[in-house]
Amino acid sequence: MPLPLLRSRPLFDDKNRAFWTLQTVGWSGYFILRALGGIANAMGWLFVVPTALTTATGYSLTLLMSAAYRRLFRLSATITWPVSIMILLLASAAFSSIETWAHATFYRVGPMPEGIQFLSAILLDFSVLSAWSALYYGINFYLVAEDQREQLLRLEAQASSAQLAMLRYQLNPHFLFNTLNSISTLVLLKQTDRANAMLSRLSSFLRYTLVSEPEGAMSVAQEMATLKLYLEIEKMRFEDRLRTNFDVDPAVADARMPSLLLQPLVENAVKYAVTPKEEGADITVSAKRIGNRVHIEVSDTGPGSNLTEAMARATVSTGVGLANIRDRLTQAYGADHRFDIQAGEGGFAVAIEIPYQAA
């Protein structure tokens, strides 16, 4: 039985049941093989009697050994191995003595062995008990290692979940600060209708973003709907200066992606493309499918910059920067993604490519 299959078998879900099952099956096999071997070698059916006694002895001795091993298993190696070897030698001597006595009493009737003669079968019995001990320790060490591996995977998953939650929740406070500041300004200017409208849209946006878990994903269609809610709030600040365009291929509408991944990119575009220019700027969000990949791009028609300035802009733009998005993409896809920044006189663009994963 290959060891990697142990944990997948229901038998090993209950270690106590697994022990008794293997113990019974193993010693039953020992009895059958010894008995058939004796009969095949013309030793007669009477040979079965001492074989049965020998099997019962081995079964009982290994029960006692398992009780001792179970306690030794928790101790340090400097104690476990010497004591285990001592127990193995004593058990082998006892096993050999009882086997020799059984054969002399029930099979080959004659003078009873004396002294060291009772150890005549110790080599075979030591080999059998050594194999049993190795199997006992081997299986238990493997199960402990599997438990530790599963615990490590759970801890890694929890750490990953916590990190993703931290990365996503960095977005909301920054956006809320800007939006609430705008609402406060509208209230001071006594533009209550616009302030109420902005509050209503902010409420819708927050309700939408809180539906999914921080470490979860949403469809491209849901992500785009969230961005539209966000941009509706920003349009109330910039009016005609903010012009938006969404070009989403229906083939990728159900593709999964990390939730709120694009919101910092759009916020960057508003801050660095729309705000500096009197005439404002266009912000375009596109998504299309290319083979088994989803290509997403967020671009603007802002003042543009060289790549060095663009990287500086990307780092400080929203307070969390594009490092946030890089980290989230790495958490979600490992190395199986692409993240490119394009900057020039025509504006600023960020391209993301991820695997296509349907809902």
Side-chain angles (χ1 to χ4, degrees), residues 46-334:
L46 188 61
F47 182 76
V48 173
V49 177
T51 301
L53 289 173
T54 300
T55 303
T57 300
Y59 189 97
S60 302
L61 283 173
T62 48
L63 289 181
L64 296 174
M65 291 169 67
S66 69
Y69 288 171
R70 193 178 303 117
R71 290 166 175 78
L72 290 171
F73 191 77
R74 304 187 186 98
L75 304 178
S76 64
T78 55
I79 298 176
T80 299
W81 297 121
V83 177
S84 295
I85 292 173
M86 187 180 301
I87 291 173
L88 177 60
L89 292 172
L90 292 175
S92 299
F95 197 4
S96 176
S97 299
I98 295 175
E99 181 175 1
T100 302
W101 172 84
H103 278 271
T105 302
F106 298 100
Y107 181 66
R108 292 178 178 172
V109 179
M112 184 63 64
E114 297 179 354
I116 198 171
Q117 293 177 347
F118 279 100
L119 302 180
S120 59
I122 193 170
L123 183 60
L124 174 62
D125 295 337
F126 178 80
S127 299
V128 171
L129 294 184
S130 294
W132 183 94
S133 299
L135 189 62
Y136 180 91
Y137 275 120
I139 290 176
N140 277 278
F141 276 121
Y142 177 81
L143 293 178
V144 168
E146 282 293 286
D147 288 338
Q148 292 175 346
R149 186 180 69 87
E150 291 175 2
Q151 184 179 7
L152 180 61
L153 290 175
R154 286 194 297 269
L155 291 174
E156 288 178 350
Q158 291 171 1
S160 177
S161 175
Q163 184 177 5
L164 284 173
M166 178 192 68
L167 292 174
R168 202 193 85 168
Y169 283 141
Q170 288 180 39
L171 305 177
N172 289 339
H174 185 79
F175 166 65
L176 283 173
F177 174 80
N178 286 341
T179 305
L180 292 174
N181 187 56
S182 297
I183 293 172
S184 175
T185 301
L186 290 173
V187 171
L188 289 174
L189 295 174
K190 301 186 183 300
Q191 298 181 19
T192 54
D193 291 340
R194 295 185 63 193
N196 286 334
M198 188 175 283
L199 278 173
S200 176
R201 291 175 182 178
L202 175 62
S203 175
S204 298
F205 175 79
L206 292 178
R207 187 181 303 112
Y208 203 94
T209 58
L210 291 174
V211 168
S212 62
E213 292 295 324
E215 68 275 12
M218 60 170 58
S219 67
V220 170
Q222 290 173 314
E223 181 78 0
M224 296 304 167
T226 306
L227 288 180
K228 289 177 181 179
L229 282 171
Y230 166 77
L231 287 171
E232 284 179 4
I233 296 171
E234 295 291 30
K235 277 185 178 182
M236 296 194 68
R237 295 173 54 204
F238 296 98
E239 298 180 338
D240 295 339
R241 296 175 59 207
L242 173 56
R243 298 174 295 277
T244 62
N245 178 44
F246 284 82
D247 181 16
V248 181
D249 184 353
V252 299
D254 65 338
R256 307 295 287 175
M257 62 181 295
S259 61
L260 287 180
L261 183 72
L262 304 180
Q263 196 267 348
L265 299 179
V266 175
E267 189 173 350
N268 285 359
V270 170
K271 182 175 181 181
Y272 285 92
V274 179
T275 303
K277 297 177 67 176
E278 184 177 349
E279 70 276 17
D282 295 81
I283 297 176
T284 301
V285 181
S286 64
K288 59 184 177 181
R289 182 174 177 179
I290 304 176
N292 290 323
R293 313 287 291 180
V294 176
H295 182 85
I296 302 171
E297 184 171 307
V298 178
S299 60
D300 61 61
T301 59
S305 57
N306 59 44
L307 188 57
T308 302
E309 293 173 347
M311 291 303 295
R313 156 186 162 172
T315 303
V316 302
S317 56
T318 64
V320 294
L322 297 189
N324 180 297
I325 299 175
R326 292 183 187 275
D327 288 343
R328 295 190 66 197
L329 287 170
T330 301
Q331 287 284 338
Y333 306 107

